[in-house]
Amino acid sequence: MLDRFTPAERALHWATGVAVLACAVTGLILYVGPLSTLVGRRNLVKDVHVFSGLAMPVPLVLAYLGRWRDAVRADVRRLSRWTAADRRWLRTRGRERDHREVGKFNAGQKANAAFVAGMIPVMLATGSIMRWFGPFPLEWRTGATFVHDWTAIATWLVVAGHIAIALSDSGALRGMITGRVTRRWAEDHHPQWAGRADDARDTVR
């Protein structure tokens, strides 16, 4: 078994996931009339939606600034670096047989992380304008509503795809739940990272 994610990294992932999913579900209830009628208690749903939205950046801030920040920052750097192999992986959607250059994260995971990193401030800014609209002119409120709605739709699609892919790959899901993966899974999906993980373990020994 190879160590893939620290407890802090897993907590960051799941806490952010819960906040995003809570926003998505409550937003859907507020947006779709029949669902809103079925659930009722619109003010409560709206409050949950707002508080979940405000909470979305909190896990990343805590993880990035806390005493466990080194592992988190290292993974942020990995996620932000795009190589020729990543672009090739993205073009073939991972169907290319040669995965030797895939590191700890493949291009799909990097694209997902980039979307979430961009989505959170966009939704936070537009949602704040919609919720505390008093100081803002009408055109700002109209624009914020338009951007918020379409970003929400994109988020639903990305989240649904992320969950579907996670459920189809038991090794990746195990890594995010327990923090550990089998060497065979790592060599099949992230061979470059697997080799470096083995080298690091040998150095510690």
Side-chain angles (χ1 to χ4, degrees):
M1 302 294 290
L2 297 176
D3 293 325
R4 183 159 172 80
F5 295 115
T6 65
E9 291 174 297
R10 301 200 306 275
L12 166 62
H13 175 274
W14 292 112
T16 303
V18 167
V20 171
L21 198 57
C23 275
V25 171
T26 53
L28 187 66
I29 293 171
L30 293 170
Y31 193 79
V32 179
L35 273 179
S36 185
T37 302
L38 179 65
V39 174
R41 307 193 68 176
R42 185 176 178 84
N43 287 335
L44 175 61
V45 174
K46 186 184 296 183
D47 288 342
V48 172
H49 185 75
V50 171
F51 287 127
S52 298
L54 294 174
M56 281 197 297
V58 173
L60 179 58
V61 171
L62 293 178
Y64 209 72
L65 298 179
R67 57 186 175 82
W68 43 73
R69 61 185 177 273
D70 290 344
V72 174
R73 290 181 177 183
D75 274 355
V76 169
R77 286 193 295 271
R78 292 187 183 102
L79 286 165
S80 63
R81 289 190 189 127
W82 285 76
T83 65
D86 290 325
R87 291 188 287 274
R88 190 164 60 248
W89 190 101
L90 204 58
R91 282 197 305 271
T92 63
R93 293 191 291 278
R95 291 196 294 264
E96 187 180 85
R97 291 186 178 182
D98 186 5
H99 296 306
R100 286 174 297 177
E101 297 181 61
V102 177
K104 187 172 184 179
F105 302 104
N106 62 42
Q109 292 165 329
K110 291 180 179 181
N112 180 76
F115 174 84
V116 173
M119 175 273 293
I120 288 176
V122 168
M123 295 299 272
L124 191 60
T126 55
S128 296
I129 292 173
M130 293 166 65
R131 176 63 180 86
W132 296 285
F133 53 84
F136 303 101
L138 178 61
E139 57 267 24
W140 280 44
R141 302 199 300 266
T142 302
T145 302
F146 177 83
V147 173
H148 198 84
D149 288 351
W150 281 102
T151 305
I153 293 171
T155 302
W156 258 109
L157 295 174
V158 170
V159 168
H162 182 70
I163 292 173
I165 292 171
L167 292 177
S168 68
D169 188 344
S170 59
L173 186 60
R174 183 187 302 115
M176 189 49 73
I177 292 175
T178 68
R180 310 191 79 198
V181 295
T182 64
R183 178 182 281 103
R184 180 173 181 177
W185 178 89
E187 290 173 347
D188 286 344
H189 294 82
H190 304 271
Q192 191 179 85
W193 170 77
R196 289 175 179 172
D198 277 336
D199 291 343
R201 187 153 64 177
D202 290 341
T203 300
V204 171
R205 288 176 181 173

